[in-house]
Amino acid sequence: MQDIIAVALITSVSTLTGGALTGAIALWVNRAQLVSSRISADADRREQRTSRHRELRRDAYLHFLDHWGKTEDLLVTLWRQPSPPAEMIASLRSYNEYSEAEKAIYEWRQSMNLVVLEGPEDVGMID
């Protein structure tokens, strides 16, 4: 009878020890996977943030250059025109052309503010 109890005791202890050992190994493996997953997720978030920042910066520069091109075209058109007579200066047509150029300069300056905001500090420096 004592042999049966000893076998039963050894079997139960070895089963419990095996279960505890298996649980400990599973916990260790899951922790390692969790750390790896967290590191990977952090790297993905950093990459997405960097990519989004690059996209915003590119859009700001593109917007700036687009406004600069429009402004330059309007100014070149105005500069190439012969000096109008005094009565034409006061006319609505001449006022509208200068008003368009003024509006284009204003929009260009607004896009410059966006470039300064998005770009590195060196971009906004004026020597």
Side-chain angles (χ1 to χ4, degrees), residues 86-100:
E87 59 272 357
M88 191 175 194
I89 291 175
S91 75
L92 184 60
R93 186 179 77 76
S94 178
Y95 173 78
N96 283 340
E97 288 173 353
Y98 285 102
S99 178
E100 277 184 47

Side-chain angles (χ1 to χ4, degrees), residues 84-124:
E87 59 272 357
M88 191 175 194
I89 291 175
S91 75
L92 184 60
R93 186 179 77 76
S94 178
Y95 173 78
N96 283 340
E97 288 173 353
Y98 285 102
S99 178
E100 277 184 47
E102 189 175 304
K103 181 181 174 190
I105 291 170
Y106 177 75
E107 289 175 356
W108 174 69
R109 291 177 81 199
Q110 281 184 324
S111 65
M112 178 61 184
N113 290 338
L114 185 60
V115 166
V116 169
L117 184 67
E118 290 296 329
E121 291 182 28
D122 298 2
V123 172

Side-chain angles (χ1 to χ4, degrees), residues 50-105:
T50 301
S51 176
R52 179 69 180 139
H53 188 257
R54 261 190 249 126
E55 184 181 327
L56 287 172
R57 184 180 286 176
R58 181 187 169 281
D59 289 346
Y61 290 169
L62 186 63
H63 191 69
F64 171 77
L65 292 173
D66 184 46
H67 279 296
W68 171 247
K70 289 176 185 176
T71 303
E72 184 180 30
D73 290 344
L74 284 169
L75 291 175
V76 166
T77 301
L78 288 174
W79 289 330
R80 288 185 178 167
Q81 291 178 356
S83 297
E87 59 272 357
M88 191 175 194
I89 291 175
S91 75
L92 184 60
R93 186 179 77 76
S94 178
Y95 173 78
N96 283 340
E97 288 173 353
Y98 285 102
S99 178
E100 277 184 47
E102 189 175 304
K103 181 181 174 190
I105 291 170

